[in-house]
Amino acid sequence: ERNFSNEPLPDPLLANLLYAADGINRPNGRRTTPSAFNWRETEIYVLKPNGIWRWVPERNGLIFCSPEDLRPETHMVEMPLAALPPVILVYVTNFERTRDFVLRLEYHESVLFQVIGLIQLVEETRLRSTHLDVGMKMQSVALAAAAMGLACVPRTGFLVEKLNKRLRLKPTETVVAVQSLGYPAKSLLDHIL
């Protein structure tokens, strides 16, 4: 569903969606969605009209990052603020958290890596694994949103470097995808009133 009402999403609903994406649901710290090698490399930023927030599963809450409204930055074409969904989740991969896997393999298999050229294979596997992790989180949010009667759409149509810069991400971090959330629009008047 790509048409959203401009009605704000209540915090309890947003909390449930974020918990579905990356909540801690076991005493050992394991999450509601899997993570390759338990890297937990995905950060979720929440873009709302009142600013940028970051989901912190260990606190089961959000941390305020900035008062900027970056929702327009998640679209390739200029959109009026009234047409934007009330919430956009931004999925960021922090590749630094995956580095231990590569270092362990390179240490134990350094000769094998040089001879057979497995370094490229490891890097490709690392990239695919992190993207799969984001996909799992997005699917959990989509299922939870559907159960709550919310509109939800995953998107990749944005300028990655521009959004990375606006979110002040580190060089080891990058935006992988975004997901728009809100109540479905009931009519064209939803954006006027």
Side-chain angles (χ1 to χ4, degrees):
E1 176 64 64
R2 294 177 182 273
N3 296 311
F4 298 91
S5 163
N6 57 7
E7 182 181 351
L9 206 60
D11 288 339
L13 284 185
L14 180 57
N16 288 338
L17 292 166
L18 291 165
Y19 180 83
D22 195 30
I24 296 175
N25 64 351
R26 286 166 273 180
N28 64 1
R30 298 290 181 158
R31 309 292 175 91
T32 53
T33 55
S35 172
F37 303 98
N38 200 29
W39 284 329
R40 300 178 188 174
E41 80 289 347
T42 305
E43 297 279 353
I44 302 173
Y45 287 82
V46 179
L47 308 183
K48 300 185 344 179
N50 66 351
I52 304 166
W53 306 77
R54 186 172 53 85
W55 170 248
V56 181
E58 295 80 8
R59 293 186 180 178
N60 198 32
L62 294 170
I63 291 179
F64 181 72
C65 299
S66 170
E68 299 174 272
D69 184 357
L70 290 190
R71 293 174 304 147
E73 304 291 332
T74 67
H75 291 80
M76 290 290 258
V77 295
E78 187 85 18
M79 291 185 67
L81 281 176
L84 290 170
V87 173
I88 297 176
L89 302 183
V90 179
Y91 296 87
V92 173
T93 293
N94 183 345
F95 286 104
E96 189 61 34
R97 293 185 189 163
T98 69
R99 195 74 188 129
D100 65 329
F101 169 70
V102 177
L103 290 174
R104 276 192 317 239
L105 285 176
E106 288 175 351
Y107 176 76
H108 293 295
E109 312 280 344
S110 59
V111 174
L112 183 63
F113 273 79
Q114 292 171 10
V115 173
I116 302 178
L118 289 178
I119 291 176
Q120 182 179 355
L121 176 61
V122 168
E123 288 301 320
E124 287 177 11
T125 301
R126 188 173 159 212
L127 182 64
R128 284 193 304 267
S129 296
T130 58
H131 287 183
L132 185 62
D133 290 353
V134 168
M136 299 257 190
K137 291 178 186 331
M138 294 178 83
Q139 182 66 26
S140 289
V141 169
L143 290 170
M148 295 177 198
L150 300 175
C152 176
V153 63
R155 296 183 300 100
T156 55
F158 54 88
L159 298 172
V160 174
E161 290 304 320
K162 185 176 180 183
L163 195 50
N164 286 351
K165 185 176 180 181
R166 293 297 307 273
L167 286 170
R168 296 174 187 87
L169 299 180
K170 297 181 236 171
T172 58
E173 298 175 311
T174 190
V175 175
V176 174
V178 300
Q179 194 168 30
S180 300
L181 293 163
Y183 289 104
K186 295 176 185 71
S187 73
L188 291 174
L189 298 177
D190 270 359
H191 299 296
I192 297 171
L193 301 175

